[in-house]
């Protein structure tokens, strides 16, 4: 496509770039992603991203799937083949890129997009584990990241009714949505270096368009954003998270 020229793309590792624009066929999903990348500062996120940082981050994401929660820093260092003295600086730089979330004193990992150790409304069943995703798009992108199907158990931000999604084709497509009227609101909010505490909180599921409309009228009527179908939100999630472990030998 001729307009691909304006689409930002950043090197992650040999043969892999962020985001995976090939996963995105919907113009609405593309526009939402462009707004998200603008708000999070995607260029800064990936500038001079190093193989050492990548090794730490990809190991952390693999351990998340195995253990269902963030690894202890010492365990992460051992699995990533990094010295205990070096792991701190790698985590600090990953935090500065807003690729991992640390607790207040930096002594503990509490999240790595799409995951958080906090309880959230977005529960993702991945094999025998159930993990908390930071937002609706993160939940929907997780399956493709691991090359596995997932079930997302979330709820309507307006009324609390259950919203569940199952994927097929190793996380690359929507298999089932309950209720069938469910949609995603991708709110756009400046992140100030931590999307987990800002933009992620306004990317949520709704059981139907009417509940999205009533919620927006009451809560975030001035926050810009994009209404996405579940399929469009899955495209966005794949674009963001598909590259996370792509091109590596083993996924859990
Ligand atoms: Zn509802």
């Amino acid at each position: 496509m001729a307009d691909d020229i304006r689409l930002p793309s950043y090197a992650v590792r040999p043969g892999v770039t962020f985001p995976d624009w090939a996963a995105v066929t919907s113009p609405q999903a593309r526009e939402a992603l462009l707004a998200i990348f603008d708000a999070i500062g995607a260029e800064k996120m990936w500038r001079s991203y190093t193989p050492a940082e990548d090794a730490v981050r990809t190991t952390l994401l693999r351990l998340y799937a195995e253990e269902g929660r963030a690894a202890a820093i010492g365990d992460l260092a051992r699995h990533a083949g990094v010295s205990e003295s070096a792991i701190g600086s790698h985590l600090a730089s990953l935090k500065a890129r807003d690729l991992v979330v640390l607790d207040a004193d930096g002594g503990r990992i509490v999240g790595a997009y799409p995951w958080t150790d906090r309880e959230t409304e977005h529960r993702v069943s991945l094999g025998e584990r159930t993990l908390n995703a930071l937002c609706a798009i993160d939940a929907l992108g997780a399956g493709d990241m691991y090359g596995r199907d997932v079930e997302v158990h979330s709820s309507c931000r307006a009324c609390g009714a259950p919203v569940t999604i199952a994927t097929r084709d190793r996380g690359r497509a929507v298999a089932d949505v309950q209720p069938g009227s469910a949609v995603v609101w991708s709110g756009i909010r400046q992140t100030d270096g931590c999307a987990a505490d800002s933009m992620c909180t306004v990317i949520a599921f709704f059981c139907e368009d009417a509940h999205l409309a009533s919620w927006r009228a009451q809560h975030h009527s001035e926050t810009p954003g994009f209404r996405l179908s579940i399929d469009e939100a899955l495209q966005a999630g794949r674009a963001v998270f598909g590259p996370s472990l792509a091109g590596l030998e083993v996924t859990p």
Side-chain angles (χ1 to χ4, degrees):
M1 281 187 293
D3 68 356
D4 278 1
I5 290 162
R6 74 187 176 92
L7 297 176
S9 181
Y10 309 100
V12 175
R13 67 185 68 90
V16 178
T17 54
F18 173 97
D20 178 10
W21 288 114
V24 183
T25 56
S26 153
Q28 179 80 346
R30 184 182 311 138
E31 292 305 314
L33 286 169
L34 289 170
I36 288 169
F37 297 152
D38 192 48
I40 64 178
E43 200 277 332
K44 186 181 73 139
M45 185 173 269
W46 296 106
R47 185 193 301 147
S48 307
Y49 181 68
T50 67
E53 289 173 283
D54 194 44
V56 171
R57 175 167 166 265
T58 56
T59 301
L60 177 58
L61 290 171
R62 287 171 169 169
L63 292 172
Y64 243 114
E66 288 173 16
E67 298 170 10
R69 60 193 303 277
I73 290 176
D75 291 340
L76 176 60
R78 196 170 61 252
H79 281 276
V82 174
S83 71
E84 294 243 10
S85 55
I87 191 88
S89 68
H90 293 316
L91 286 172
S93 62
L94 288 167
K95 179 184 188 294
R97 297 179 187 281
D98 198 19
L99 290 170
V100 305
V101 183
L102 305 179
D103 70 355
D105 67 9
R108 198 164 62 89
I109 304 161
V110 294
Y113 300 88
W115 307 125
T116 174
D117 284 7
R118 286 200 310 255
E119 291 288 317
T120 72
E121 74 208 69
H122 315 292
R123 307 273 293 163
V124 180
S125 298
L126 180 75
E128 307 206 326
R129 297 294 184 190
T130 301
L131 294 94
N132 290 294
L134 279 155
C135 74
I137 288 175
D138 289 27
L140 291 169
D144 185 38
M145 179 168 86
Y146 294 109
R148 296 170 64 168
D149 283 316
V150 296
E151 275 188 23
V152 177
H153 297 268
S154 187
S155 55
C156 174
R157 182 63 67 83
C159 75
V163 174
T164 61
I165 296 103
T167 69
R168 60 177 172 81
D169 197 17
R170 296 162 61 92
R172 287 179 287 196
V174 176
D176 187 53
V177 182
Q178 297 294 335
S181 56
V183 298
V184 166
W185 176 249
S186 179
I188 302 300
R189 189 181 268 185
Q190 291 302 315
T191 60
D192 292 326
C194 185
D197 291 333
S198 51
M199 186 152 56
C200 292
T201 65
V202 288
I203 302 179
F205 292 99
F206 291 85
C207 69
E208 60 174 18
D209 278 304
H211 282 195
L212 167 58
S214 64
W215 178 83
R216 286 199 68 208
Q218 286 175 33
H219 296 284
H220 294 281
S221 55
E222 72 297 333
T223 302
F226 297 83
R227 179 269 194 201
L228 302 175
S229 70
I230 300 299
D231 181 60
E232 288 171 329
L234 183 124
Q235 290 181 24
R238 288 185 58 202
V240 171
F241 293 103
S244 297
L245 298 171
L248 301 171
E249 279 200 359
V250 194
T251 53

